[in-house]
Amino acid sequence: MNLILIAVVAVSLYWMYRNRPVRGVPSIEANVLLQRLRNEAGFLQIVDVRDQNDYYADHIEGSVNISLGRLPFIKKHGLNKEAETIIIADVNRESRQAARILRKSGFTRLVYLEHGIQSLKRAERGVRAAQAHVCCCSRGC
C-alpha cells in the first residue's frame, strides 16, 4: 500500500513539474493574438511546434513550423532571437516545453498562445459569426 502511495505521489509531482508555467514567459489570449495578427502580421515571428501534418491542415499564414522534437536544432531555421516570438502548439504543456527550449537557445522575447490552436479557431469562429450577424428585427440590434 505504501509503495502504491509513493508511486502516485511521484507521478503527481512529476506531472506538476512538467506542466509548471515558464517564469518570464507570458501567455496571450486568442482574441488578442487575432487582433495583433490583423495589425502587426508582418512584424510577428510565429513558431508553430505542432507536427507537420497538423500544421499543413491548419496554420497561421507566415508562421514557421518546427516540430517540438526538432526545436533544439533550430539554428538552421534563421529565426531572430531578439524578435518577439509567439509559440503555437496544441496544448499549453507543449507551448511551455517549447518556451523552455527556445529560452535555452537564447530567445529573450517569448509568448505562448493560451490553450493552444483550438482557442484560436474558436476565437476566429466568434469573430466571423459577429461579422456575419444581420439584424432581422425592427429594433436594429
Side-chain angles (χ1 to χ4, degrees):
M1 180 68 178
N2 287 339
L3 190 57
I4 293 172
L5 182 62
I6 291 171
V8 168
V9 169
V11 168
S12 298
L13 289 173
Y14 176 75
W15 184 84
M16 287 172 35
Y17 173 77
R18 295 286 294 171
N19 290 306
R20 73 191 185 286
V22 181
R23 188 176 304 159
V25 179
S27 64
I28 187 170
E29 293 290 332
N31 55 354
V32 176
L33 179 57
L34 282 175
Q35 185 67 34
R36 290 194 62 195
L37 286 171
R38 279 188 223 106
N39 298 334
E40 309 169 39
F43 302 104
L44 296 176
Q45 179 171 264
I46 301 173
V47 176
D48 193 321
V49 297
R50 297 177 298 145
D51 291 334
Q52 192 174 30
N53 291 338
D54 294 334
Y55 175 80
Y56 284 122
D58 190 23
H59 63 274
I60 297 172
E61 188 176 334
S63 62
V64 176
N65 178 233
I66 308 171
S67 66
L68 200 52
R70 292 186 354 232
L71 203 54
F73 311 102
I74 60 166
K75 290 180 177 34
K76 61 185 168 196
H77 291 284
L79 296 174
N80 182 354
K81 292 182 179 185
E82 285 81 36
E84 181 177 21
T85 303
I86 300 174
I87 301 167
I88 307 291
D90 281 324
V91 293
N92 283 350
R93 178 182 46 79
E94 293 172 355
S95 296
R96 291 171 180 161
Q97 187 176 356
R100 285 183 188 91
I101 293 169
L102 288 171
R103 194 164 62 183
K104 284 181 183 177
S105 298
F107 286 77
T108 56
R109 298 176 57 206
L110 297 169
V111 177
Y112 69 90
L113 176 61
E114 184 72 30
H115 304 300
I117 193 73
Q118 294 303 319
S119 68
L120 191 63
K121 290 178 185 179
R122 283 191 299 274
E124 283 178 331
R125 282 193 300 268
V127 167
R128 281 194 295 260
Q131 291 171 343
H133 175 71
V134 177
C135 181
C136 60
C137 68
S138 61
R139 292 177 302 203
C141 296

